[in-house]
Amino acid sequence: LAVLLLVALSGSVFSSAYALRPLVTNSLIKCADYSSVYYLSDADERWVFPDETTYFTWYMDFNDVIDVSCDELSTYPIGGVVTFQPGTNLLTMPSTDDVYAVEPGGLLRLIASESDAIELYGDLWWTYVRDTSEAFWPSYTVGAPLEAGEVPEGSLLFAYNPDDPSAS
């Protein structure tokens, strides 16, 4: 009887791999039933990545995504939708030719002209432009257009000296 009780208890405790690992905040999580990946905040809220394009502005691969049970996943309330990481790409949507820089908090700043885009991002500025669906647009806030020469908040800058490539 003691052996059966032990087997029964160990089966209920160890039948799930999820029970063996405590979840930590600031993790990437998902459950097997859904393809969505979430960022678990330190407030125990899950923030959904709306698509792979957005995900890859923050992470290089899916190696750090932790599988959790769908029951556990459902215990974390939705905090919101993750927006593009500031300073990584420029954003547009299919129904417009407007191009925006992304600042912290999902703030979009219109780049007024192609010459402004070239000044900020170089001759290949257009290679940084990514489309997002209009369905995700409400996750962002449109702010004032960038002034000529204004660097968007959250951008990483470096000085390049063609005579000294090691200085970059």
Side-chain angles (χ1 to χ4, degrees):
L1 182 62
V3 172
L4 288 176
L5 184 56
L6 179 60
V7 170
L9 287 176
S10 65
S12 66
V13 173
F14 298 109
S15 63
S16 170
Y18 309 116
L20 300 177
R21 161 233 14 90
L23 235 189
V24 294
T25 57
N26 302 313
S27 297
L28 299 171
I29 59 173
K30 70 176 289 304
C31 81
D33 291 353
Y34 308 106
S35 61
S36 296
V37 174
Y38 302 89
Y39 172 80
L40 182 61
S41 74
D42 54 7
D44 282 338
E45 295 175 327
R46 57 186 162 124
W47 289 73
V48 65
F49 288 93
D51 58 15
E52 284 188 358
T53 302
T54 304
Y55 180 88
F56 286 121
T57 67
W58 290 94
Y59 301 98
M60 302 271 303
D61 54 42
F62 293 104
N63 292 343
D64 294 327
V65 177
I66 300 168
D67 284 315
V68 299
S69 72
C70 294
D71 288 339
E72 179 180 2
L73 183 70
S74 70
T75 66
Y76 301 108
I78 297 287
V81 177
V82 178
T83 57
F84 272 41
Q85 182 177 24
T88 58
N89 291 110
L90 303 174
L91 194 60
T92 190
M93 63 180 150
S95 63
T96 184
D97 291 331
D98 291 341
V99 175
Y100 297 85
V102 182
E103 293 188 337
L107 180 65
L108 299 178
R109 305 283 305 280
L110 178 69
I111 300 173
S113 68
E114 183 174 3
S115 60
D116 288 346
I118 291 170
E119 181 182 342
L120 287 169
Y121 300 99
D123 291 336
L124 299 177
W125 67 272
W126 52 270
T127 63
Y128 298 106
V129 178
R130 301 291 180 268
D131 267 336
T132 194
S133 166
E134 284 91 349
F136 306 139
W137 206 251
S139 301
Y140 295 89
T141 302
V142 178
L146 289 172
E147 298 292 327
E150 181 183 1
V151 176
E153 187 179 331
S155 297
L156 297 176
L157 301 177
F158 66 93
Y160 175 72
N161 178 348
D163 298 326
D164 183 9
S166 66
S168 62

